[in-house]
Amino acid sequence: MSTDGAAAFLTAVSAAVRDAAGVPITRGTFTFDGGGTPEQYLTLPAQPIVSVDAAAIDGVSVTDYKLIDGRLWRRLGWSHSCEPSVITVTQTCGLETVPADIVDLVCSLVGLAMANAEDGGYSSRGDLTQLRIDDYSEGYNSSASGRLAGVIELPDATRNRLRARFGSAAGFVGFR
């Protein structure tokens, strides 16, 4: 397996884990867009928050906010009128060191993907449901609903655990 192939698997698995968690996990600066309300508190999607670098309501910069317990407080709320507003927040968030169990999860999935790619069975190995050695036999899941898109697809239980542990980006449209 080439270094480029391993790097591609690492990128794909890391993205899948971040997607399942609903937040970036690793430390970085991200810009989030979402809907504003007249409420004074705005819950920020990615935790833990290190700092808020900028905030804007409908493209107009605001500086009269305070970061309190992972939420932004602003006396006048998070809209310029009673109509919906678009809030843009640039924040530095995430963990400085990724927890060992998350690193292990990513490495395990990358190793599985690499092993399957080396064996030439990357496209079908995720469908193997049984293997019998005596009088050799293999069984594959042939239903479309049970088939995995690839070996790096995270099981629902793992996705749920990551989402519960790291929170979610609910309330914001996305990050860039």
Side-chain angles (χ1 to χ4, degrees):
M1 164 94 12
S2 71
T3 303
D4 289 342
F9 284 134
L10 183 58
T11 299
V13 171
S14 295
V17 169
R18 286 184 184 105
D19 179 62
V23 295
I25 299 176
T26 52
R27 173 95 24 111
T29 300
F30 305 93
T31 299
F32 298 87
D33 296 312
T37 68
E39 307 275 329
Q40 289 182 317
Y41 282 94
L42 177 68
T43 301
L44 298 174
Q47 303 287 334
I49 299 169
V50 176
S51 65
V52 173
D53 305 314
I57 302 172
D58 291 330
V60 177
S61 179
V62 293
T63 58
D64 57 341
Y65 57 83
K66 292 180 184 177
L67 180 61
I68 302 171
D69 295 329
R71 301 187 304 163
L72 283 184
W73 176 87
R74 185 172 184 260
R75 181 182 311 279
L76 300 175
W78 291 97
S79 66
H80 283 304
S81 65
C82 292
E83 294 183 18
S85 298
V86 174
I87 307 300
T88 303
V89 177
T90 301
Q91 69 182 62
T92 299
C93 58
L95 302 172
E96 190 169 346
T97 303
V98 177
D101 63 318
I102 302 301
V103 172
D104 181 62
L105 172 65
V106 170
C107 290
S108 295
L109 289 169
V110 168
L112 177 62
M114 290 173 62
N116 284 335
E118 289 288 324
D119 289 344
Y122 184 75
S123 62
S124 64
R125 284 303 213 210
D127 301 326
L128 182 64
T129 58
Q130 63 135 319
L131 177 65
R132 193 172 29 180
I133 300 297
D134 189 34
D135 291 327
Y136 181 77
S137 172
E138 286 185 4
Y140 292 89
N141 184 350
S142 60
S143 70
S145 65
R147 187 173 300 161
L148 294 176
V151 295
I152 57 173
E153 189 165 328
L154 296 172
D156 286 340
T158 301
R159 291 174 117 4
N160 293 338
R161 183 178 58 88
L162 287 166
R163 183 65 56 130
R165 180 173 177 184
F166 292 104
S168 71
F172 271 78
V173 177
F175 60 91
R176 55 180 184 232

